[in-house]
Amino acid sequence: MSDAEQLSLQLFDIEAVKFGNFTLKSGIQSPIYIDLRVIISYPAVLRSVSQLVNDLLEKSNIECDSICGVPYTALPVASVISVEYNRPMLIRRKEAKSYGTKKMIEGIYKNNDQCLIIEDIVTTGSSVIETAQSLREHGLRVNNAIVFLDREQNGKNNLEANGITLHGRVVLKVKYRTDQDWDEMWVDNNETSLVRHVSYHSICANKQFLDVSSVLTLTELLQHLLRHKRITLDCVNQVQTFIKSNQVQLNQPNVDEKRTVVKSNYLPIREHIRTIIEEKKSNLCLSADLTNLDEIIELSKQVGDYICLLKIHCDILNDFTMEKIRQLKTISKEKNFLLFEDRKFADIGNTVSLQYTKGLSQICEWADLVTVHALPGDGILKALEESSKEVGEPRGCFLLAQMSSKGALTDEKYVKATVQYAEKYQNFVIGFIAQSRLSTSSNIDYIHCTPGVHINSSEDKFGQQYISPAEAVLQRGADVIICGRAILESNDRVQTAKLYQTEGYKAYQQKRQ
C-alpha cells in the first residue's frame, strides 16, 4: 500500500473526509465535505501529509529560497516542512496589524527570492492566487505551488492562467478492458504491483498508459476508499457527478477590462502614464516631501485616488524600510498611480547603477520613475537603463532640463544637450522636468512635468518660484503638474488635492483639444 493510499484511509478515519449531504459556503449541496483543519489534532497524520508534500517538492526539482503556506489551514503543514526539512518559511497575513511593524509578510527574504506556495486543498485556486499576488508585491518571485489535495474543480487551470504551475506526484491513468467495456483507474507509480479494480475484472495485456502530472486528486482519494470498502460505488459516482457539474472558472475580465489591464501593466511606461491620466482624470503629481514614510503611506491612502504620480525623496526618510516601501507600492497599484523617486542621479555610470539597485533603498525594485541630471553625460542613462532590466516591470526616468529655483544654471546649451540624450535613450527617458515645452526632433510625445505649482503663492524664502495649474499647463506646456506644499500645508489635504486635480486636468483637456 502506498503512502498516499494509507493516508487517504487515515483522513477518512479521523473524519477529515466525510460523505453525506452538506451545505457549502456557497449554498450548494455537496455529497462530500473535506476539512483538513482537523489534522492539527492528529500529529501523526499532520506529519504524514507534510512528508508527502515535501517528497513532491524534492521530486519536482523546484528551486526555492523559501516556502509559504496559504493562510491558515496550510500553515501547520508548511511549519512542519520548515522544521523537519530545514526549509526557510514565510508567513503571509490576511491583513496587516494596526500596530507594531504592520507587516503583511513575516520572515526574512530578499528581492527576487523564489518562494514556493504550499496549500492543503485546491478548489478554484483563488487562495493560492491571492497569496502569490501578495508575495509578488513584496518583491518575491512565485511560479510554483504544491497542493496536497486537488478537488478537480478547475483549480489547476485557474492557477496556470495566473502564471503558477501546480506540481504533484506522477500517477498512471490505466485504461483497460473489462468483460463488457473499457474502464479506467488511477495507480500510483510508486506501487510495486497493480491493484485490482473494484469490479474485480483482471487487467488485460493490451492496457494503455498515459502519464499525468497531478497531486493527490479527489479521484484518487475516492478510489483508495472504495478499494478498501470505506465507501460504495454509488457514493463514488455521486461525488464524481457533483464534481463534473461544479467546475469553477474564476471570473475573467471582459474585453474592455482586458484592454485596461494591458494598458496599466504591460505598455511602455510613457503610455502607462497617459492611460492613468485619462482613466483617473488627473495629471496631478503629489510631491510628498515628508520625512516620515508612515505619514506618506497614510497620505497615499487618503489622496491616492486623485493623483497620477507620487513623488518622494527616500534619502530624507527617517523611518525607511523595504517593508514599508513595499506597503506604499501595494497602495500605488490599488490606487493606480506610479511611484516617483526624485533621486536626481548625477554621478558616473557605475556608481549610479549601484545607487539605483543596491544599498538600503534598492530604488530600482519599487520606483517606477526616477529623476536624472544630464550633467555626467549619456553614460548615466545607459547604466540606469541596463540596471532597470533586472526587474520584471517597466521603469523609466525624467531628465532634469530646467528647474523652478531662482538662479538655476540650466541654460539653453544644457537644455539642448539634455534633449539629445533623451532622444538617444527614448525607451528609458519618458520625459522632462521643465519650465517650458521643449523642442525635439522626434515624433515622441515626451511627458513634460512642471514643478512649483501653487495657486496662492508666488515664491518662498529659498527662491522657489510658483505658478498656477493653468499657467503650468496652458502657457508652459506641462502635461503633469507637480504640487507639494500647497497640499501638504493645507488644513484639508484631501480637498486640496481634489482642487488641484480638477484645475490641472481641466487645463490639460483644454491644451489637448
Side-chain angles (χ1 to χ4, degrees):
M1 184 185 302
S2 70
D3 292 338
E5 186 170 357
Q6 183 175 1
L7 188 52
S8 298
L9 301 180
Q10 291 176 318
L11 292 174
F12 178 84
D13 292 340
I14 66 173
E15 297 188 332
V17 182
K18 299 179 181 180
F19 298 88
N21 188 27
F22 305 94
T23 302
L24 302 181
K25 183 178 181 180
S26 61
I28 296 175
Q29 297 297 307
S30 170
I32 185 171
Y33 187 73
I34 303 172
D35 181 10
L36 294 185
R37 286 170 292 191
V38 302
I39 68 175
I40 60 175
S41 297
Y42 299 90
V45 177
L46 174 57
R47 184 178 292 108
S48 296
V49 170
S50 305
Q51 180 179 349
L52 182 55
V53 172
N54 187 74
D55 288 345
L56 300 180
L57 175 53
E58 291 184 348
K59 291 175 182 177
S60 64
N61 294 319
I62 300 172
E63 294 186 1
C64 62
D65 301 294
S66 59
I67 61 174
C68 180
V70 175
Y72 289 104
T73 309
L75 288 181
V77 176
S79 298
V80 172
I81 293 172
S82 175
V83 173
E84 293 291 330
Y85 303 101
N86 195 31
R87 297 188 184 276
M89 174 180 159
L90 303 176
I91 295 177
R92 175 222 167 200
R93 293 185 178 276
K94 286 192 173 182
E95 60 279 322
K97 297 183 296 183
S98 60
Y99 55 91
T101 60
K102 303 179 182 180
K103 291 182 178 181
M104 282 294 293
I105 305 296
E106 301 286 356
I108 305 300
Y109 56 91
K110 302 188 299 296
N111 185 42
N112 284 327
D113 275 0
Q114 185 72 250
C115 185
L116 171 80
I117 291 177
I118 303 293
E119 176 64 303
D120 60 332
I121 304 174
V122 157
T123 303
T124 66
S126 60
S127 295
V128 175
I129 292 169
E130 289 173 5
T131 299
Q133 289 174 340
S134 182
L135 292 167
R136 287 166 176 167
E137 287 170 356
H138 285 74
L140 291 146
R141 290 178 294 139
V142 184
N143 305 104
N144 302 285
I146 290 182
V147 181
F148 176 67
L149 178 64
D150 182 1
R151 285 181 58 103
E152 301 177 293
Q153 289 181 257
N154 206 45
K156 183 173 182 179
N157 292 333
N158 289 332
L159 291 174
E160 289 177 351
N162 284 269
I164 302 169
T165 302
L166 199 61
H167 294 268
R169 270 181 322 119
V170 176
V171 298
L172 299 178
K173 191 176 187 181
V174 182
K175 189 175 183 181
Y176 61 94
R177 185 177 296 281
T178 68
D179 290 344
Q180 290 85 22
D181 204 351
W182 284 85
D183 206 342
E184 57 187 39
M185 68 176 178
W186 295 89
V187 180
D188 193 318
N189 71 329
N190 291 326
E191 295 175 350
T192 57
S193 61
L194 293 175
V195 298
R196 291 182 298 168
H197 185 247
V198 293
S199 62
Y200 297 99
H201 293 292
S202 60
I203 300 175
C204 68
N206 62 347
K207 56 186 178 288
Q208 301 173 13
F209 295 91
L210 299 172
D211 287 336
V212 180
S213 292
S214 175
V215 293
L216 177 62
T217 63
L218 187 56
T219 299
E220 252 191 307
L221 177 65
L222 294 174
Q223 293 290 355
H224 293 328
L225 297 177
L226 182 61
R227 188 175 302 129
H228 291 273
K229 300 182 180 181
R230 296 294 205 277
I231 57 176
T232 65
L233 185 57
D234 287 342
C235 181
V236 172
N237 293 334
Q238 188 179 5
V239 173
Q240 289 182 331
T241 299
F242 170 80
I243 294 300
K244 288 179 181 178
S245 61
N246 286 276
Q247 293 294 300
V248 182
Q249 182 172 349
L250 296 181
N251 291 333
Q252 297 294 323
N254 60 35
V255 175
D256 291 336
E257 287 174 338
K258 284 182 179 179
R259 187 176 296 118
T260 298
V261 169
V262 169
K263 284 184 178 180
S264 297
N265 293 305
Y266 298 105
L267 283 179
I269 201 162
R270 187 183 297 109
E271 286 77 6
H272 189 173
I273 295 176
R274 296 283 187 199
T275 300
I276 292 175
I277 291 173
E278 296 295 339
E279 289 177 350
K280 299 183 71 175
K281 293 180 170 46
S282 174
N283 61 334
L284 172 61
C285 170
L286 173 58
S287 181
D289 297 338
L290 301 170
T291 59
N292 186 279
L293 187 49
D294 283 332
E295 183 180 358
I296 293 175
I297 290 171
E298 291 305 312
L299 177 63
S300 70
K301 294 176 183 178
Q302 297 168 4
V303 304
D305 292 330
Y306 314 114
I307 63 176
C308 63
L309 300 173
L310 178 68
K311 184 173 76 71
I312 68 172
H313 291 273
C314 67
D315 54 355
I316 67 172
L317 297 171
N318 54 31
D319 61 339
F320 179 91
T321 66
M322 291 304 295
E323 179 66 29
K324 289 182 180 181
I325 203 68
R326 287 170 183 143
Q327 289 181 39
L328 184 61
K329 183 71 172 179
T330 298
I331 295 168
S332 75
K333 292 183 177 181
E334 293 173 351
K335 299 287 188 179
N336 194 24
F337 61 82
L338 298 185
L339 278 185
F340 176 9
E341 164 55 31
D342 196 5
R343 181 61 176 80
K344 296 184 175 68
F345 289 108
D347 213 316
I348 62 172
N350 184 67
T351 300
V352 164
S353 177
L354 295 174
Q355 291 172 331
Y356 188 40
T357 60
K358 307 297 181 182
L360 296 177
S361 54
Q362 300 176 45
I363 295 170
C364 186
E365 177 188 330
W366 51 269
D368 301 293
L369 298 159
V370 293
T371 46
V372 182
H373 282 294
L375 182 65
D378 64 353
I380 189 174
L381 296 172
K382 181 179 180 181
L384 289 169
E385 183 176 41
E386 289 182 357
S387 298
S388 71
K389 296 175 182 177
E390 296 180 8
V391 296
E393 297 179 344
R395 294 288 184 260
C397 80
F398 288 113
L399 278 176
L400 284 116
Q402 299 165 330
M403 300 187 71
S404 57
S405 54
K406 184 182 293 185
L409 301 178
T410 50
D411 58 16
E412 184 177 345
K413 182 177 179 181
Y414 182 87
V415 171
K416 183 178 180 180
T418 300
V419 171
Q420 290 175 347
Y421 292 160
E423 293 178 334
K424 184 175 180 179
Y425 291 94
Q426 57 189 241
N427 291 329
F428 186 69
V429 179
I430 69 164
F432 306 97
I433 306 295
Q435 293 296 308
S436 62
R437 196 81 186 176
L438 305 182
S439 176
T440 65
S441 60
S442 67
N443 294 323
I444 295 175
D445 190 12
Y446 288 101
I447 294 173
H448 287 65
C449 301
T450 297
V453 174
H454 200 306
I455 294 175
N456 299 318
S457 183
S458 60
E459 185 174 330
D460 72 2
K461 64 180 181 179
F462 297 112
Q464 169 73 59
Q465 301 175 85
Y466 293 114
I467 56 176
S468 69
E471 182 181 351
V473 177
L474 297 176
Q475 297 181 27
R476 304 199 180 190
D479 299 300
V480 174
I481 59 172
I482 301 178
C483 179
R485 277 174 279 182
I487 295 174
L488 299 180
E489 296 176 357
S490 68
N491 294 327
D492 190 332
R493 289 175 171 177
V494 174
Q495 290 302 318
T496 306
K498 286 183 180 181
L499 171 64
Y500 279 86
Q501 174 204 15
T502 301
E503 293 298 315
Y505 189 71
K506 181 170 66 176
Y508 179 81
Q509 285 183 305
Q510 293 177 17
K511 179 171 74 81
R512 295 182 73 84
Q513 286 177 351

